């Protein structure tokens, strides 16, 4: 996933790549993050046999390494939309789980019902999910709206930012 956005005087340039097994268990997560002058590059590798996720900061130099534990099938934030779409398309909501994106976060998704939205000037009935995310230093609640049973193509995503809500539409 690549995100190039920003406001005057503050650029956001994120590049995130992950790989997973056929069961969508994470193998590796690479993050190249640029928020204004702050730049970070790190890799997290998942050892399913040991139940450990090892995060290594590549840039800035000397960033170090940390190890986090997990049980079962590890998930990363980049692969979570694929899992969410697969479960929602099958009429289910993903269970509460630990998700890695630098740190480990607790993620819970709640189905709140059908909602009609307009995307590309066309009304569409969607299933609405509210996602609760809690990490070591943050707790927030982005709202996802999904097109039901149409594969992994998400409708607009809305989430809180400091000055209000931020919305984006994912496209291929």
């Amino acid at each position: 996933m690549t995100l190039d956005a920003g406001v005057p005087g503050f650029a956001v340039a994120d590049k995130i790549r992950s790989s997973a097994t056929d069961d969508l268990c994470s193998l590796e997560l690479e993050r190249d993050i640029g928020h204004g002058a702050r730049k970070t590059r790190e890799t997290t590798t998942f050892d399913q046999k040991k139940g450990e996720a090892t995060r290594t900061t590549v840039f800035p130099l000397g960033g170090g390494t940390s190890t986090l534990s997990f049980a079962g099938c590890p998930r990363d934030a980049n692969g979570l939309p694929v899992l969410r779409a697969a479960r929602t398309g099958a009429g289910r909501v993903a269970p509460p789980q630990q998700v890695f994106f630098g740190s480990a976060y607790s993620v819970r998704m709640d189905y709140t019902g059908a909602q009609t939205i307009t995307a590309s000037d066309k009304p569409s009935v969607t299933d609405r999910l509210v996602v609760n995310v809690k990490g070591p230093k943050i707790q927030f609640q982005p709202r996802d709206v999904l097109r039901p049973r149409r594969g992994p193509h998400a409708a607009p995503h809305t989430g809180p930012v400091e000055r209000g809500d931020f919305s984006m539409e994912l496209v291929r």
Side-chain angles (χ1 to χ4, degrees), residues 81 83-89 92-93 109 111 113-115 117 124-129 131 143-157 170:
L83 173 68
R84 181 200 58 214
R87 294 278 170 95
T88 305
R92 302 183 317 239
V93 175
M109 298 180 210
Y111 176 74
Q115 178 177 338
I117 64 163
S124 179
V125 178
T126 64
D127 289 331
R128 181 167 187 230
L129 295 176
V131 182
R143 292 170 300 284
D144 277 345
V145 181
L146 304 177
R147 292 186 181 104
R149 294 171 186 79
R150 285 186 153 175
H153 310 298
H157 292 264
L170 302 179

Side-chain angles (χ1 to χ4, degrees), residues 81-166:
V82 176
L83 173 68
R84 181 200 58 214
R87 294 278 170 95
T88 305
R92 302 183 317 239
V93 175
Q97 58 197 290
Q98 185 178 43
V99 174
F100 293 88
F101 193 71
S103 296
Y105 295 85
S106 296
V107 176
R108 187 184 85 237
M109 298 180 210
D110 298 315
Y111 176 74
T112 61
Q115 178 177 338
T116 301
I117 64 163
T118 301
S120 301
D121 296 323
K122 296 178 184 175
S124 179
V125 178
T126 64
D127 289 331
R128 181 167 187 230
L129 295 176
V130 175
V131 182
N132 296 284
V133 179
K134 185 176 183 182
K137 295 181 182 178
I138 190 170
Q139 182 170 349
F140 64 99
Q141 190 178 64
R143 292 170 300 284
D144 277 345
V145 181
L146 304 177
R147 292 186 181 104
R149 294 171 186 79
R150 285 186 153 175
H153 310 298
H157 292 264
T158 305
V161 293
E162 189 172 318
R163 301 207 181 263
D165 280 348
F166 172 78

Side-chain angles (χ1 to χ4, degrees), residues 54-73:
T54 302
R55 179 177 69 175
T56 303
T57 301
V58 179
F59 182 84
L61 295 176
T65 298
S66 60
T67 301
L68 301 164
S69 297
F70 62 84
C73 175

